[in-house]
Amino acid sequence: MNAVAPESRQRRIPMPVPESHFVIGTKLEPPFPAGLETAVFGMGCFWGVEKRFWQIQGVHTTAVGYAGGSLEHPTYKEVCSGGTGHAEVVLVVFDPDIVSYEELLKVFWEGHNPTQGFRQGYDIGSQYRSFIIASSNAQLMQAQASRTRYEEQLSPAGQDRVTTEIAGASPFYYAEEKHQQYLAKYERN
């Protein structure tokens, strides 16, 4: 694993992000409207993951970023070095009256292979690990219970054990502007 250069450990500033979501048009940063909840999911490369979530009815906004590492406000290059311990993740801000956290967990489990450790398909590295950050104790309990249910379904089918990391509240650091809603900006049909 490559170490982060000493100059990178100096005081860090937040990444500037666009005022609004390229697809939905809502704000990417708090404060968010009252009654909304947040969830953070890592399922491999964050570009496709973000698109999967912004298409769900009841999702107010999404943003890509980094979580689970040792460096404040890392850059994409630093995260990809493998030296910071961050995962590529997606912040999902949602209205629980329209889409439940349990429904978002279903999208999470069915949207990737949570048994691959530090990889998703051909993408290899700790930044691609399966990762859930719960924003409340209720979410933490739901995420842990859903992991158990999912693993119970995989075991009889001869699948490997689930390697998904589940953590309580942890800092989310926004990724660079060019990564926000990347597939909507640059995907060619």
Side-chain angles (χ1 to χ4, degrees):
M1 191 178 287
N2 297 330
V4 174
E7 63 274 6
S8 297
R9 296 186 191 278
Q10 295 174 359
R11 185 174 175 281
R12 311 289 297 215
I13 59 171
M15 200 68 64
V17 295
E19 179 71 25
S20 62
H21 194 284
F22 186 77
V23 177
I24 303 171
T26 52
K27 288 178 52 178
L28 293 182
E29 295 182 282
F32 300 115
L36 299 184
E37 294 183 21
T38 62
V40 176
F41 299 105
M43 303 164 51
C45 177
F46 50 27
W47 297 337
V49 176
E50 183 184 28
K51 182 177 180 180
R52 182 179 303 271
F53 282 105
W54 83 49
Q55 295 175 329
I56 298 171
Q57 184 176 0
V59 168
H60 175 75
T61 200
T62 59
V64 297
Y66 315 108
S70 61
L71 187 64
E72 289 184 2
H73 308 291
T75 65
Y76 183 74
K77 184 176 179 180
E78 290 168 333
V79 170
C80 289
S81 77
T84 69
H86 289 89
E88 291 187 18
V89 296
V90 175
L91 171 68
V92 179
V93 181
F94 65 101
D95 184 338
D97 291 334
I98 300 172
V99 61
S100 70
Y101 183 65
E102 198 66 42
E103 291 171 293
L104 296 178
L105 286 169
K106 183 177 185 331
V107 171
F108 170 81
W109 294 117
E110 294 177 359
H112 76 302
N113 184 340
T115 69
Q116 294 188 325
F118 286 0
R119 70 178 299 152
Q120 277 301 303
Y122 295 112
D123 291 332
I124 300 172
S126 62
Q127 72 268 31
Y128 299 118
R129 69 189 183 272
S130 180
F131 194 27
I132 298 172
I133 296 177
S135 64
S136 67
N137 284 336
Q139 280 189 7
L140 184 63
M141 291 175 17
Q142 283 181 285
Q144 290 169 336
S146 71
R147 177 179 55 195
T148 300
R149 284 192 310 273
Y150 195 83
E151 194 161 45
E152 287 170 352
Q153 293 172 2
L154 289 177
S155 294
Q159 298 293 317
D160 292 332
R161 70 176 193 82
V162 170
T163 59
T164 302
E165 179 182 341
I166 299 175
S170 177
F172 169 86
Y173 300 109
Y174 287 87
E176 294 85 340
E177 180 174 357
K178 69 181 178 181
H179 295 293
Q180 303 298 334
Q181 300 85 59
Y182 182 88
L183 292 183
K185 296 174 190 172
Y186 305 109
E187 190 174 57
R188 302 289 183 243
N189 293 332

